[in-house]
Amino acid sequence: VDFYTPAALVDLGITPVGVVQSYFDDGAAIPEHYRSEVTDSGATSIGEYYELDVEAVSTTDPDLILATDDFLPLDDPLRDKLESIAPIITFKARDGESWRTRSTELADILDREDALEPLVADYNSRRDEIAERYSDVLDNETFAVFVPTADEWGTYADTHFSTPILRDLGAHFREQRDDEINENGFPNWFSYEELGRLDNVDVIFTPVTDRAVLDKVEGNELWKRLPAVRNGLVFEYIPDSPTGSYGWALENLDALDDLLGTVSAAR
């Protein structure tokens, strides 16, 4: 009943009988490998993670319901209805390490450590290889993931769920002011009159979800004055950044390998 654990299950050789609607929708930030694995298996859509269809959950007749604490906290009244269907295991979701701890805990619970171990080894080896290849960039540049909307902007912290693999590679994130992130690691939002806050970042990554919004930002005079912009060090961020599992993390390592190569060539 969440966005992440279907991928963690697939890594362990288990296909869930029900998944959230995101796995059936084009444009969701989920690697195609995981989308096709669950949809081709005949899995049932159980609504979206923020608007579950309890009746659809029931029709899948699950032995176990997996959840995360962001959309199904322990005090959510919906839990009583779901627990009448099957036991619930709840994992942490929105921090920089949750993708890793969720994967390892799930493997332990389901006695599938043997299935996870090769992925862990591959991830660690690939991460270290990329970190060494781009050590000059990672050690000497500061990074920000800049998120524009039509009227406001924010930046993801290094603990955000969309930045863990970049951080795991050893990237140094720009120092954020106290008012730029909230207690959950989510960005606070600012008007474009405050773009000068980004004068302390060398390299800007930005998810391109709306080209018209980014075009508007690029025409902003304050944006044009930023060091990263003047130096041509603004790049599109990796598309499936909210990492859900070790296999997902490996795909993001490949994407970051390409991205850091582009950054290195542009410096």
Side-chain angles (χ1 to χ4, degrees):
V1 296
D2 71 89
F3 186 84
Y4 306 101
T5 54
L9 282 173
V10 170
D11 281 355
L12 301 178
I14 299 171
T15 305
V17 293
V19 295
V20 293
Q21 180 61 34
S22 294
Y23 280 78
F24 297 89
D25 292 341
D26 292 334
I30 301 167
E32 182 58 34
H33 156 62
Y34 293 110
R35 286 162 47 86
S36 60
E37 179 77 22
V38 297
T39 56
D40 292 351
S41 72
T44 297
S45 170
I46 54 172
E48 203 45 278
Y49 51 89
Y50 50 81
E51 193 173 8
L52 291 176
D53 182 341
V54 176
E55 184 175 346
V57 174
S58 180
T59 63
T60 67
D61 191 25
D63 298 304
L64 188 65
I65 295 173
L66 300 176
T68 51
D69 59 5
D70 51 350
F71 286 102
L72 193 65
L74 296 178
D75 59 355
D76 192 321
L78 189 60
R79 291 184 72 93
D80 288 340
K81 294 181 180 179
L82 292 172
E83 284 176 335
S84 70
I85 300 170
I88 303 173
I89 294 176
T90 306
F91 298 100
K92 291 186 68 62
R94 293 177 179 264
D95 65 56
E97 285 296 308
S98 58
W99 72 271
R100 194 184 336 247
T101 56
R102 184 171 53 245
S103 295
T104 55
E105 289 171 7
L106 191 59
D108 179 58
I109 290 167
L110 299 178
D111 196 23
R112 294 291 181 106
E113 294 97 334
D114 289 348
L116 187 63
E117 283 175 4
L119 286 173
V120 174
D122 287 349
Y123 173 81
N124 290 339
S125 174
R126 185 92 172 99
R127 176 200 59 202
D128 294 347
E129 170 198 337
I130 295 170
E132 181 176 358
R133 180 181 305 128
Y134 299 112
S135 59
D136 183 50
V137 174
L138 295 165
D139 291 345
N140 295 296
E141 309 290 357
T142 57
F143 295 83
V145 178
F146 169 80
V147 186
T149 71
D151 302 308
E152 296 177 307
W153 63 273
T155 55
Y156 290 154
D158 63 347
T159 55
H160 191 272
F161 63 87
S162 285
T163 60
I165 310 307
L166 182 61
R167 183 195 65 195
D168 213 27
L169 285 168
H172 299 287
F173 286 69
R174 67 176 278 267
E175 185 175 347
Q176 292 178 299
R177 302 183 194 180
D178 290 343
D179 63 348
E180 289 184 356
I181 55 174
N182 61 36
E183 64 275 9
N184 297 317
F186 279 75
N188 289 325
W189 301 95
F190 298 92
S191 75
Y192 284 102
E193 295 175 354
E194 297 195 60
L195 278 171
R197 289 170 175 260
L198 294 174
D199 63 0
N200 65 342
V201 60
D202 300 314
V203 179
I204 294 176
F205 295 144
T206 182
V208 181
T209 55
D210 189 328
R211 185 65 238 183
V213 168
L214 197 56
D215 287 343
K216 182 178 177 181
V217 172
E218 291 173 349
N220 187 298
E221 290 301 321
L222 294 175
W223 174 261
K224 294 177 183 179
R225 296 176 196 168
L226 296 174
V229 179
R230 292 200 315 269
N231 293 329
L233 296 176
V234 179
F235 307 91
E236 183 174 347
Y237 195 45
I238 60 175
D240 299 331
S241 58
T243 308
S245 69
Y246 268 96
W248 193 329
L250 276 163
E251 296 194 32
N252 280 342
L253 278 178
D254 288 340
L256 284 167
D257 189 2
D258 293 339
L259 179 55
L260 290 171
T262 301
V263 173
S264 181
R267 293 166 73 223

